[in-house]
Amino acid sequence: MSATAGPARPHTRASLAAQFRALGVRPGGTVLVQAALRPLGFLCGGPEAVLLALRDVLGPDGTVVVPIHTPENSDPAGWTNPPVPPDWWPVIRAELPGFDPAVTPSRFMGAFAEQVRTWPGARRSAHPYVSFAALGPAAERIVAGHPLADMLGERSPLARLYELDADVLLLGVDHGSNTSLHLAEYRQPAPPRERCGAAVLTADGGRDWVWWDDVRLDEEDFDRLGVDLEATGAVRSGPVGDGTGRLMRQRAAVDFAVDWLARNRRTEEA
């Protein structure tokens, strides 16, 4: 008996580009990509091939954007994966290296995000916790001026993407990883807020620990939200490698999420 047959051939830059075109990636557009490559199967060239294929489709006028978040650069009092003892908290706040956009890697964001971050010419926003990297003509507009407070709100890269009518491309992940939906949380009338902290570089080359007040991010219901979003026809799905790609206009996803969250979540005032 023969083994179960795999793909007829390896997935390549050219075959991935053909799949991106079929999915509806727009030449000259801006696309926020969130990817887990393992579900896509064997990729000849790995994350590099995926990025090259995407840029082939976007062309020279297109821009690729990725979240380059650094969740370990946060208040250790809130850590759960894993938690650390309370007597460690002041040590971590005093000694954690300050966020450096040039060198601090992302964590839990995947190999594709790191491929974009380290690509020559990529730009990165300066937020110590939820930075974004971008590659292409719109990169600087997207990442510039990322404020410490309201970190995924109206002055964040997510809002710049909304202004640019960007697309969101989910590769091998579902809507639980759809960072753009957080912008809808900021557009609620009274979102819950919390105190946040992170280590930052100072102007004199040192480091400091800073605190700020922000919306409490909560993606626990994003999968349910995504099911309802897909039922509207706003999401186009298709094969990418051995996995699934989901493409949507970011504005459509965020606008839908604003209404969905208003119906399905209670605010502090309520």
Side-chain angles (χ1 to χ4, degrees):
M1 296 178 63
S2 62
T4 301
R9 62 193 297 273
H11 304 295
T12 65
R13 173 179 178 174
S15 68
L16 291 167
Q19 290 178 318
F20 289 143
R21 289 190 186 95
L23 193 59
V25 173
R26 295 181 284 164
T30 297
V31 60
L32 175 64
V33 184
Q34 298 184 245
L37 299 187
R38 186 170 297 175
L40 306 188
F42 182 85
L43 307 173
C44 183
E48 180 183 6
V50 177
L51 179 54
L52 290 170
L54 193 55
R55 298 190 81 194
D56 287 343
V57 178
L58 290 169
D61 297 327
T63 300
V64 179
V65 187
V66 290
I68 298 288
H69 299 174
T70 47
E72 76 283 2
N73 189 10
S74 61
D75 183 18
W79 290 1
T80 59
N81 186 31
V84 293
D87 59 339
W88 288 21
W89 299 350
V91 179
I92 292 170
R93 291 173 186 146
E95 300 295 339
L96 195 68
F99 173 79
D100 184 344
V103 300
T104 304
S106 63
R107 191 172 185 189
F108 307 129
M109 305 310 293
F112 180 80
E114 280 294 284
Q115 185 74 71
V116 175
R117 178 184 75 83
T118 57
W119 199 268
R123 308 289 294 174
R124 186 181 189 180
S125 69
H127 200 281
Y129 182 52
V130 290
S131 64
F132 289 76
L135 182 63
E140 185 60 31
R141 173 180 175 182
I142 292 165
V143 304
H146 192 172
L148 193 63
D150 291 322
M151 54 192 175
L152 295 179
E154 300 304 331
R155 292 191 294 147
S156 76
L158 290 182
R160 302 293 79 75
L161 291 167
Y162 188 95
E163 292 171 358
L164 289 166
D165 191 22
D167 290 322
V168 172
L169 176 61
L170 305 178
L171 297 177
V173 299
D174 55 26
H175 294 277
S177 299
N178 193 344
T179 297
S180 287
L181 301 180
H182 287 300
L183 181 58
E185 294 185 297
Y186 284 78
R187 295 182 173 179
Q188 299 304 301
R193 301 185 73 87
E194 65 182 355
R195 190 188 194 207
C196 301
V200 299
L201 296 179
T202 57
D204 60 4
R207 55 84 66 197
D208 197 8
W209 184 267
V210 295
W211 296 101
W212 72 96
D213 178 69
D214 218 313
V215 169
R216 185 169 72 237
L217 305 178
D218 180 8
E219 61 277 352
E220 287 191 2
D221 54 2
F222 282 4
D223 282 334
R224 287 197 300 119
L225 192 165
V227 170
D228 291 345
L229 173 64
E230 295 201 10
T232 71
V235 180
R236 186 166 178 171
S237 298
V240 176
D242 294 341
T244 299
R246 293 178 172 88
L247 185 74
M248 69 212 78
R249 298 299 258 278
Q250 195 225 32
R251 287 180 183 173
V254 171
D255 291 349
F256 178 87
V258 169
D259 293 337
W260 192 95
L261 293 175
R263 294 193 309 269
N264 288 279
R265 285 190 187 176
R266 293 176 59 86
T267 66
E268 289 182 326
E269 291 179 350

